[in-house]
Amino acid sequence: AQLGDLLPKYVASLTGTEKHFGTYVDLIQPRGEIAIIDDPPELDMTKFPTFKLKALAFHWESMFTRSMFHAADIDKQKALLDQVADLVDAGQVQTTLTTRLGAIDAATLLKAHTLQESGKAIGKTVLEGFP
């Protein structure tokens, strides 16, 4: 794959990793790092021999790891959340909320679920009025 002079050192894959992984491996520079947060049903790195030849690093991130496993660096979670809260308060970080469907009930829940399953949802979909 060619993308002009783009030769990223880091790739953050937030969705569709299984579909795009080969492109990431092709484009990223040697000794680069790929981080994912989604859950691809199948991701076999042996299908991409360039991954090893480029000595790429792979990181599978989960926002709950520190709290679920009582990690030694659990205090970093608070620091990160405090930093994001400050950025939101300062107007430097914008929410990804794009769709409000109103109060939660069977109809709006179905509508939200259908939107998410379509693969065409952009941003966050919000249902309100939880008891």
Side-chain angles (χ1 to χ4, degrees):
Q2 290 291 330
L3 199 56
D5 294 328
L6 182 65
L7 194 63
K9 181 174 182 176
Y10 305 103
V11 172
S13 183
L14 309 179
T15 185
T17 297
E18 187 173 9
K19 179 179 176 184
H20 303 292
F21 197 77
T23 302
Y24 302 155
V25 172
D26 289 344
L27 291 177
I28 198 166
Q29 64 182 263
R31 305 200 57 78
E33 300 183 40
I34 300 171
I36 75 168
I37 63 169
D38 61 342
D39 297 309
E42 181 179 323
L43 185 59
D44 182 358
M45 290 181 207
T46 64
K47 293 180 180 177
F48 308 98
T50 309
F51 187 91
K52 181 178 179 182
L53 294 173
K54 287 185 172 183
L56 300 177
F58 180 78
H59 308 277
W60 208 333
E61 295 295 328
S62 172
M63 67 188 296
F64 301 111
T65 298
R66 286 185 174 105
S67 59
M68 287 177 66
F69 297 98
H70 310 289
D73 63 351
I74 188 70
D75 290 342
K76 285 187 179 182
Q77 189 73 21
K78 180 184 182 320
L80 289 168
L81 292 172
D82 287 346
Q83 183 180 9
V84 171
D86 290 343
L87 292 170
V88 170
D89 291 344
Q92 295 177 317
V93 172
Q94 183 176 315
T95 178
T96 58
L97 186 147
T98 56
T99 307
R100 284 185 190 261
L101 297 177
I104 187 167
D105 59 26
T108 57
L109 185 59
L110 180 60
K111 188 173 182 179
H113 200 271
T114 301
L115 177 61
Q116 293 301 313
E117 283 184 330
S118 75
K120 296 180 183 184
I122 297 174
K124 301 295 181 192
T125 302
V126 173
L127 296 174
E128 301 170 287
F130 287 79

